[in-house]
Amino acid sequence: MLRGVTVGCGYFSRIQMASWKRVEGAEIAAACDVDAERLRSFTADFDLKGYGDADEMLDAEQPDFLDIATRPAGHLPLVRKAAQRGIAVLCQKPMADTWEEAVRIAKTARRNGIRLMLNENWRWQAWYRHIKSLLDENRIGRPFYYHVATRERDGVGGKPFAKQPYFKDMERFFVIEAIVHHIDTMRFLFGGIDEVFCKTARLNPVVRAEDFVMMMLRHRGGLCGLIDGNRVTEPDEPGPAMETVRIEGLENKIRLRHSGDVLLGGERTFSAEGMPGYRGDSCRATQQHFVDCLTNGREFATEATDYLRKTVAVVEACYLSAAEHRPVRISEVAAMAGTV
């Protein structure tokens, strides 16, 4: 049984902790947060030891792994603390606030020989695993286009993002915090992304950064896609899936509905009805993958260096494209990572 500890006891940490309770082969023994009241409530609810200092917790508990569930600014210092002690890390996305910090995180893990996985749960949503199986079985022929549309009306008014209010003050928001999920999932489904052309806008003046995005993506092999989203309009219907997806092939099409249902042509081939956990039980599936790979030695699906070059680099290319009003090749950004 692997023993882990977690840093960060905020809104999403509770979702993750509920999932950890159902993961096989590991347990979370302790939690850390600088906010004493938040820490007290979290540890009481999940029956954990509590620490106000990460160094103290790591030295006292000597865990097998560290689960980082803080805001991005805390990721690099915490990865360094784990690296100094030879502890494996599961790190929440965004990987970092900036490209430079993300590169330093990957280099820190590589140079100290620790295993580091990004906690990118979207690709582990059950409906996307099913869609991947349909694509692998060639059920729609050669795919040539997809469209992802994501909507959530939590970014309106003078006090937006009630569950995570710090979103409104982020210097970069929608692409790095939310659309990164869809970018990573599309590369999971269709392979590497070669080029992006991105437009962003700020719809709510209270929000510091972008809350609307539209981007065109070209994958290796020529497949193209469109991702568009905002945080001011309601989705078409309620459901666990935050987005709708349409994938077109030469012989058929796949659609994902907000309900989590997957349609192949007009036939429903997957239903999310009755599924436990967060959005298709994706948090538990991500954590289980992390634990399984630590146990069997296999490579993480979102290992830090690979995730940096193939997902974070696309995020950076999107911001560069929006700023310079031009298409940007991912290799242009990835080259800035140097030797990681």
mmCIF file of all heavy atoms in Angstrom, residues 12 16 20 67-69 89-94 116-122 124 181 282-283 286-287 302 307:
data_model
loop_
_atom_site.group_PDB
_atom_site.id
_atom_site.type_symbol
_atom_site.label_atom_id
_atom_site.label_comp_id
_atom_site.label_asym_id
_atom_site.label_seq_id
_atom_site.Cartn_x
_atom_site.Cartn_y
_atom_site.Cartn_z
ATOM 1 N N PHE A 12 -11.454 22.188 -5.101
ATOM 2 C CA PHE A 12 -11.270 20.985 -5.908
ATOM 3 C C PHE A 12 -10.537 19.887 -5.148
ATOM 4 O O PHE A 12 -10.683 18.706 -5.461
ATOM 5 C CB PHE A 12 -10.529 21.310 -7.214
ATOM 6 C CG PHE A 12 -10.796 20.297 -8.286
ATOM 7 C CD1 PHE A 12 -11.984 20.319 -8.991
ATOM 8 C CD2 PHE A 12 -9.880 19.295 -8.560
ATOM 9 C CE1 PHE A 12 -12.257 19.364 -9.960
ATOM 10 C CE2 PHE A 12 -10.128 18.343 -9.521
ATOM 11 C CZ PHE A 12 -11.325 18.379 -10.226
ATOM 12 N N GLN A 16 -11.082 15.763 -5.219
ATOM 13 C CA GLN A 16 -10.003 14.793 -5.390
ATOM 14 C C GLN A 16 -9.896 13.852 -4.198
ATOM 15 O O GLN A 16 -9.665 12.647 -4.359
ATOM 16 C CB GLN A 16 -8.676 15.527 -5.601
ATOM 17 C CG GLN A 16 -8.602 16.259 -6.919
ATOM 18 C CD GLN A 16 -7.231 16.841 -7.201
ATOM 19 O OE1 GLN A 16 -6.997 17.358 -8.286
ATOM 20 N NE2 GLN A 16 -6.318 16.755 -6.260
ATOM 21 N N TRP A 20 -9.818 9.801 -3.923
ATOM 22 C CA TRP A 20 -8.724 9.023 -3.338
ATOM 23 C C TRP A 20 -9.244 7.911 -2.432
ATOM 24 O O TRP A 20 -8.613 6.844 -2.325
ATOM 25 C CB TRP A 20 -7.791 9.929 -2.529
ATOM 26 C CG TRP A 20 -6.711 10.603 -3.317
ATOM 27 C CD1 TRP A 20 -6.517 11.947 -3.486
ATOM 28 C CD2 TRP A 20 -5.628 9.967 -4.025
ATOM 29 N NE1 TRP A 20 -5.409 12.195 -4.258
ATOM 30 C CE2 TRP A 20 -4.840 10.986 -4.600
ATOM 31 C CE3 TRP A 20 -5.269 8.629 -4.221
ATOM 32 C CZ2 TRP A 20 -3.711 10.707 -5.359
ATOM 33 C CZ3 TRP A 20 -4.142 8.359 -4.990
ATOM 34 C CH2 TRP A 20 -3.370 9.383 -5.549
ATOM 35 N N ASP A 67 0.710 14.654 -3.520
ATOM 36 C CA ASP A 67 -0.371 15.129 -4.382
ATOM 37 C C ASP A 67 -0.472 16.645 -4.205
ATOM 38 O O ASP A 67 -0.869 17.128 -3.142
ATOM 39 C CB ASP A 67 -1.691 14.443 -3.992
ATOM 40 C CG ASP A 67 -2.858 14.895 -4.846
ATOM 41 O OD1 ASP A 67 -2.627 15.482 -5.922
ATOM 42 O OD2 ASP A 67 -4.012 14.677 -4.424
ATOM 43 N N ILE A 68 -0.102 17.394 -5.256
ATOM 44 C CA ILE A 68 -0.127 18.859 -5.192
ATOM 45 C C ILE A 68 -1.460 19.353 -5.740
ATOM 46 O O ILE A 68 -1.772 19.149 -6.918
ATOM 47 C CB ILE A 68 1.027 19.476 -5.988
ATOM 48 C CG1 ILE A 68 2.364 19.023 -5.410
ATOM 49 C CG2 ILE A 68 0.932 20.998 -5.987
ATOM 50 C CD1 ILE A 68 3.580 19.503 -6.204
ATOM 51 N N ALA A 69 -2.234 20.007 -4.871
ATOM 52 C CA ALA A 69 -3.559 20.502 -5.264
ATOM 53 C C ALA A 69 -3.689 21.985 -4.940
ATOM 54 O O ALA A 69 -4.755 22.458 -4.567
ATOM 55 C CB ALA A 69 -4.642 19.703 -4.554
ATOM 56 N N VAL A 89 5.532 12.718 -7.560
ATOM 57 C CA VAL A 89 4.579 13.827 -7.485
ATOM 58 C C VAL A 89 3.454 13.655 -8.492
ATOM 59 O O VAL A 89 3.682 13.320 -9.657
ATOM 60 C CB VAL A 89 5.277 15.181 -7.750
ATOM 61 C CG1 VAL A 89 4.256 16.322 -7.770
ATOM 62 C CG2 VAL A 89 6.348 15.454 -6.703
ATOM 63 N N LEU A 90 2.242 13.910 -8.021
ATOM 64 C CA LEU A 90 1.072 14.116 -8.879
ATOM 65 C C LEU A 90 0.720 15.585 -8.742
ATOM 66 O O LEU A 90 0.349 16.044 -7.653
ATOM 67 C CB LEU A 90 -0.095 13.231 -8.440
ATOM 68 C CG LEU A 90 -1.407 13.399 -9.215
ATOM 69 C CD1 LEU A 90 -1.235 13.035 -10.684
ATOM 70 C CD2 LEU A 90 -2.528 12.562 -8.588
ATOM 71 N N CYS A 91 0.857 16.348 -9.823
ATOM 72 C CA CYS A 91 0.720 17.810 -9.765
ATOM 73 C C CYS A 91 -0.494 18.288 -10.541
ATOM 74 O O CYS A 91 -0.661 17.970 -11.724
ATOM 75 C CB CYS A 91 1.974 18.474 -10.319
ATOM 76 S SG CYS A 91 1.959 20.280 -10.268
ATOM 77 N N GLN A 92 -1.334 19.070 -9.889
ATOM 78 C CA GLN A 92 -2.533 19.617 -10.521
ATOM 79 C C GLN A 92 -2.173 20.536 -11.684
ATOM 80 O O GLN A 92 -1.119 21.165 -11.692
ATOM 81 C CB GLN A 92 -3.346 20.393 -9.474
ATOM 82 C CG GLN A 92 -4.667 20.952 -9.958
ATOM 83 C CD GLN A 92 -5.574 19.882 -10.505
ATOM 84 O OE1 GLN A 92 -5.646 19.706 -11.717
ATOM 85 N NE2 GLN A 92 -6.266 19.165 -9.640
ATOM 86 N N LYS A 93 -3.026 20.592 -12.692
ATOM 87 C CA LYS A 93 -2.875 21.581 -13.747
ATOM 88 C C LYS A 93 -3.587 22.866 -13.316
ATOM 89 O O LYS A 93 -4.426 22.809 -12.420
ATOM 90 C CB LYS A 93 -3.402 21.080 -15.100
ATOM 91 C CG LYS A 93 -4.741 20.369 -15.118
ATOM 92 C CD LYS A 93 -5.956 21.088 -14.653
ATOM 93 C CE LYS A 93 -6.305 22.376 -15.384
ATOM 94 N NZ LYS A 93 -7.408 23.105 -14.668
ATOM 95 N N PRO A 94 -3.245 24.027 -13.893
ATOM 96 C CA PRO A 94 -2.168 24.269 -14.839
ATOM 97 C C PRO A 94 -0.802 23.916 -14.247
ATOM 98 O O PRO A 94 -0.595 24.061 -13.050
ATOM 99 C CB PRO A 94 -2.256 25.774 -15.113
ATOM 100 C CG PRO A 94 -3.639 26.177 -14.695
ATOM 101 C CD PRO A 94 -4.004 25.257 -13.580
ATOM 102 N N LEU A 116 7.093 12.414 -12.062
ATOM 103 C CA LEU A 116 6.169 13.543 -11.973
ATOM 104 C C LEU A 116 5.097 13.410 -13.042
ATOM 105 O O LEU A 116 5.395 13.349 -14.239
ATOM 106 C CB LEU A 116 6.925 14.860 -12.144
ATOM 107 C CG LEU A 116 6.101 16.146 -12.270
ATOM 108 C CD1 LEU A 116 5.194 16.338 -11.062
ATOM 109 C CD2 LEU A 116 7.023 17.350 -12.444
ATOM 110 N N MET A 117 3.853 13.354 -12.604
ATOM 111 C CA MET A 117 2.704 13.255 -13.506
ATOM 112 C C MET A 117 1.802 14.466 -13.306
ATOM 113 O O MET A 117 1.564 14.899 -12.177
ATOM 114 C CB MET A 117 1.918 11.968 -13.231
ATOM 115 C CG MET A 117 0.598 11.864 -13.983
ATOM 116 S SD MET A 117 -0.223 10.274 -13.678
ATOM 117 C CE MET A 117 -1.956 10.760 -13.820
ATOM 118 N N LEU A 118 1.312 15.024 -14.417
ATOM 119 C CA LEU A 118 0.336 16.104 -14.336
ATOM 120 C C LEU A 118 -1.055 15.526 -14.163
ATOM 121 O O LEU A 118 -1.443 14.581 -14.855
ATOM 122 C CB LEU A 118 0.405 16.988 -15.586
ATOM 123 C CG LEU A 118 1.374 18.167 -15.495
ATOM 124 C CD1 LEU A 118 0.920 19.153 -14.435
ATOM 125 C CD2 LEU A 118 2.799 17.700 -15.233
ATOM 126 N N ASN A 119 -1.791 16.100 -13.212
ATOM 127 C CA ASN A 119 -3.138 15.619 -12.892
ATOM 128 C C ASN A 119 -4.128 16.197 -13.902
ATOM 129 O O ASN A 119 -4.889 17.112 -13.610
ATOM 130 C CB ASN A 119 -3.500 16.033 -11.468
ATOM 131 C CG ASN A 119 -4.716 15.290 -10.952
ATOM 132 O OD1 ASN A 119 -5.493 14.731 -11.720
ATOM 133 N ND2 ASN A 119 -4.888 15.285 -9.647
ATOM 134 N N GLU A 120 -4.091 15.650 -15.093
ATOM 135 C CA GLU A 120 -4.945 16.088 -16.204
ATOM 136 C C GLU A 120 -6.067 15.074 -16.351
ATOM 137 O O GLU A 120 -5.916 14.038 -17.005
ATOM 138 C CB GLU A 120 -4.105 16.203 -17.473
ATOM 139 C CG GLU A 120 -4.854 16.599 -18.713
ATOM 140 C CD GLU A 120 -5.617 17.896 -18.547
ATOM 141 O OE1 GLU A 120 -5.001 18.965 -18.618
ATOM 142 O OE2 GLU A 120 -6.851 17.821 -18.349
ATOM 143 N N ASN A 121 -7.207 15.340 -15.707
ATOM 144 C CA ASN A 121 -8.240 14.305 -15.580
ATOM 145 C C ASN A 121 -9.199 14.199 -16.757
ATOM 146 O O ASN A 121 -9.915 13.215 -16.874
ATOM 147 C CB ASN A 121 -9.026 14.508 -14.276
ATOM 148 C CG ASN A 121 -9.844 15.777 -14.277
ATOM 149 O OD1 ASN A 121 -10.875 15.873 -14.942
ATOM 150 N ND2 ASN A 121 -9.397 16.776 -13.525
ATOM 151 N N TRP A 122 -9.245 15.205 -17.637
ATOM 152 C CA TRP A 122 -10.278 15.204 -18.685
ATOM 153 C C TRP A 122 -10.184 13.989 -19.578
ATOM 154 O O TRP A 122 -11.187 13.360 -19.919
ATOM 155 C CB TRP A 122 -10.196 16.493 -19.497
ATOM 156 C CG TRP A 122 -11.472 17.256 -19.599
ATOM 157 C CD1 TRP A 122 -12.224 17.444 -20.723
ATOM 158 C CD2 TRP A 122 -12.151 17.979 -18.553
ATOM 159 N NE1 TRP A 122 -13.315 18.236 -20.442
ATOM 160 C CE2 TRP A 122 -13.292 18.574 -19.112
ATOM 161 C CE3 TRP A 122 -11.893 18.162 -17.193
ATOM 162 C CZ2 TRP A 122 -14.180 19.345 -18.364
ATOM 163 C CZ3 TRP A 122 -12.765 18.934 -16.441
ATOM 164 C CH2 TRP A 122 -13.893 19.511 -17.032
ATOM 165 N N TRP A 124 -9.403 11.198 -18.900
ATOM 166 C CA TRP A 124 -9.838 10.011 -18.180
ATOM 167 C C TRP A 124 -11.343 9.966 -17.955
ATOM 168 O O TRP A 124 -11.846 9.038 -17.315
ATOM 169 C CB TRP A 124 -9.095 9.904 -16.841
ATOM 170 C CG TRP A 124 -7.659 9.579 -17.031
ATOM 171 C CD1 TRP A 124 -6.606 10.444 -17.063
ATOM 172 C CD2 TRP A 124 -7.110 8.286 -17.277
ATOM 173 N NE1 TRP A 124 -5.438 9.766 -17.297
ATOM 174 C CE2 TRP A 124 -5.711 8.435 -17.431
ATOM 175 C CE3 TRP A 124 -7.663 7.003 -17.366
ATOM 176 C CZ2 TRP A 124 -4.862 7.361 -17.676
ATOM 177 C CZ3 TRP A 124 -6.811 5.933 -17.605
ATOM 178 C CH2 TRP A 124 -5.438 6.112 -17.759
ATOM 179 N N HIS A 181 -7.777 21.474 -20.766
ATOM 180 C CA HIS A 181 -8.391 20.144 -20.675
ATOM 181 C C HIS A 181 -8.737 19.616 -22.072
ATOM 182 O O HIS A 181 -8.469 18.459 -22.402
ATOM 183 C CB HIS A 181 -9.693 20.211 -19.876
ATOM 184 C CG HIS A 181 -9.513 20.327 -18.401
ATOM 185 N ND1 HIS A 181 -8.716 19.479 -17.677
ATOM 186 C CD2 HIS A 181 -10.079 21.182 -17.500
ATOM 187 C CE1 HIS A 181 -8.791 19.793 -16.393
ATOM 188 N NE2 HIS A 181 -9.600 20.821 -16.261
ATOM 189 N N SER A 282 -13.610 10.756 -13.460
ATOM 190 C CA SER A 282 -12.291 10.989 -14.050
ATOM 191 C C SER A 282 -11.198 11.202 -13.020
ATOM 192 O O SER A 282 -10.036 10.843 -13.263
ATOM 193 C CB SER A 282 -12.349 12.196 -14.994
ATOM 194 O OG SER A 282 -12.805 13.357 -14.318
ATOM 195 N N CYS A 283 -11.527 11.804 -11.869
ATOM 196 C CA CYS A 283 -10.489 12.003 -10.850
ATOM 197 C C CYS A 283 -9.978 10.671 -10.316
ATOM 198 O O CYS A 283 -8.769 10.453 -10.206
ATOM 199 C CB CYS A 283 -11.027 12.859 -9.701
ATOM 200 S SG CYS A 283 -11.176 14.609 -10.108
ATOM 201 N N THR A 286 -7.827 8.947 -12.946
ATOM 202 C CA THR A 286 -6.504 9.572 -13.058
ATOM 203 C C THR A 286 -5.610 9.143 -11.914
ATOM 204 O O THR A 286 -4.445 8.755 -12.114
ATOM 205 C CB THR A 286 -6.644 11.101 -13.053
ATOM 206 O OG1 THR A 286 -7.561 11.509 -14.059
ATOM 207 C CG2 THR A 286 -5.301 11.772 -13.297
ATOM 208 N N GLN A 287 -6.140 9.190 -10.706
ATOM 209 C CA GLN A 287 -5.366 8.796 -9.528
ATOM 210 C C GLN A 287 -4.994 7.315 -9.575
ATOM 211 O O GLN A 287 -3.873 6.933 -9.216
ATOM 212 C CB GLN A 287 -6.169 9.111 -8.263
ATOM 213 C CG GLN A 287 -6.375 10.597 -8.028
ATOM 214 C CD GLN A 287 -7.542 10.880 -7.088
ATOM 215 O OE1 GLN A 287 -8.381 10.002 -6.808
ATOM 216 N NE2 GLN A 287 -7.632 12.110 -6.607
ATOM 217 N N THR A 302 0.495 11.297 -18.744
ATOM 218 C CA THR A 302 0.793 12.731 -18.778
ATOM 219 C C THR A 302 2.069 13.006 -17.981
ATOM 220 O O THR A 302 2.094 13.840 -17.080
ATOM 221 C CB THR A 302 -0.395 13.554 -18.231
ATOM 222 O OG1 THR A 302 -0.818 12.988 -16.962
ATOM 223 C CG2 THR A 302 -1.559 13.541 -19.190
ATOM 224 N N TYR A 307 4.084 16.109 -21.326
ATOM 225 C CA TYR A 307 2.957 17.028 -21.175
ATOM 226 C C TYR A 307 3.400 18.466 -21.460
ATOM 227 O O TYR A 307 2.668 19.234 -22.097
ATOM 228 C CB TYR A 307 2.402 16.909 -19.763
ATOM 229 C CG TYR A 307 1.151 17.714 -19.488
ATOM 230 C CD1 TYR A 307 -0.108 17.213 -19.830
ATOM 231 C CD2 TYR A 307 1.223 18.950 -18.866
ATOM 232 C CE1 TYR A 307 -1.256 17.935 -19.558
ATOM 233 C CE2 TYR A 307 0.073 19.691 -18.595
ATOM 234 C CZ TYR A 307 -1.159 19.175 -18.943
ATOM 235 O OH TYR A 307 -2.290 19.901 -18.675
#
